[in-house]
Amino acid sequence: YLFYDGQSESIALVMGDVEHEDDVLVRVHSNCVPAHIFNSIECDCREQMALAQQAIQDAGKGVIIWLDQEAKGNGHMAAVLSARLKAEGVPQTEAYARLGYERDGRSFVRAAEIVDFLKIASVTLMTNNPEKIRTLTDLGVTVSGTRGLYLEADNPELLKTYMDKITNQKHTIKV
């Protein structure tokens, strides 16, 4: 399914019959050009997508909601401008803040609307982000459970990203 609000597009990839179903595996995933196009080693967005797709395939049903929210909703320019600060050791979220952007400017309203559109009774949300869980719950999505998606941090760049997520965003990642 393709959703368009006049400015941005969102995509829902649906496998199986999810209407009125409980505990449907759902991944709410934001666009990440560095990972999905350029195979960045600074994040695990590409790998998280692959893990989510495999989990849904194994379950025989589920949904991936792809949101057009590059760089935590701040856009490509924020990602480019923050690179210098990140090279100096500043965590990504702090780099955004120093540049006048939101630490996390993403919105999950469209994701909640898509879950409602698909008439899913409850979701098992594939995320490490407690704020995403809280926000979707506040928007009326019944989150019956969660499943974390992360890799062993086998490179220093990914480890820095994970530490930022754990420290500044309270993600549930084991390093």
Side-chain angles (χ1 to χ4, degrees):
Y1 295 89
L2 176 65
F3 300 86
Y4 181 63
D5 66 6
Q7 288 190 309
S8 64
E9 297 175 334
S10 301
I11 299 168
L13 299 172
V14 180
M15 181 179 191
D17 184 11
V18 298
E19 189 171 325
H20 304 297
E21 292 290 316
D22 287 310
D23 308 321
V24 174
L25 285 176
V26 172
R27 169 70 181 162
V28 177
H29 194 88
S30 295
N31 186 42
C32 181
V33 166
H36 294 289
I37 296 175
F38 300 113
N39 298 319
S40 173
I41 62 168
E42 294 182 0
C43 69
D44 63 351
C45 297
R46 180 173 40 89
E47 292 87 353
Q48 284 184 357
M49 176 60 77
L51 290 169
Q53 289 172 323
Q54 186 63 56
I56 289 170
Q57 183 177 357
D58 292 348
K61 68 179 171 188
V63 179
I64 294 182
I65 300 173
W66 182 280
L67 302 175
D68 186 16
Q69 303 189 112
E70 182 71 37
K72 295 212 178 281
N74 292 311
H76 296 287
M77 186 58 72
V80 169
L81 294 175
S82 69
R84 179 183 53 79
L85 292 171
K86 282 181 59 184
E88 294 171 4
V90 177
Q92 185 72 62
T93 52
E94 177 61 25
Y96 289 151
R98 287 187 191 183
L99 292 167
Y101 295 99
E102 293 184 53
R103 290 176 182 273
D104 189 341
R106 294 176 295 176
S107 169
F108 299 110
V109 170
R110 177 52 56 102
E113 292 170 349
I114 291 170
V115 169
D116 185 56
F117 172 83
L118 295 172
K119 298 180 173 79
I120 299 171
S122 67
V123 305
T124 297
L125 197 60
M126 292 184 281
T127 187
N128 308 315
N129 184 345
E131 186 63 21
K132 188 183 293 185
I133 299 163
R134 187 194 62 75
T135 301
L136 286 168
T137 300
D138 289 350
L139 290 168
V141 174
T142 301
V143 178
S144 56
T146 61
R147 180 185 291 190
L149 295 175
Y150 53 88
L151 307 171
E152 283 192 34
D154 58 356
N155 75 65
E157 295 305 315
L158 183 55
L159 184 57
K160 281 194 273 186
T161 298
Y162 278 175
M163 293 312 296
D164 177 33
K165 288 182 175 187
I166 292 165
T167 304
N168 298 314
Q169 301 168 58
K170 307 303 181 220
H171 282 216
T172 54
I173 300 173
K174 297 174 187 164
V175 292

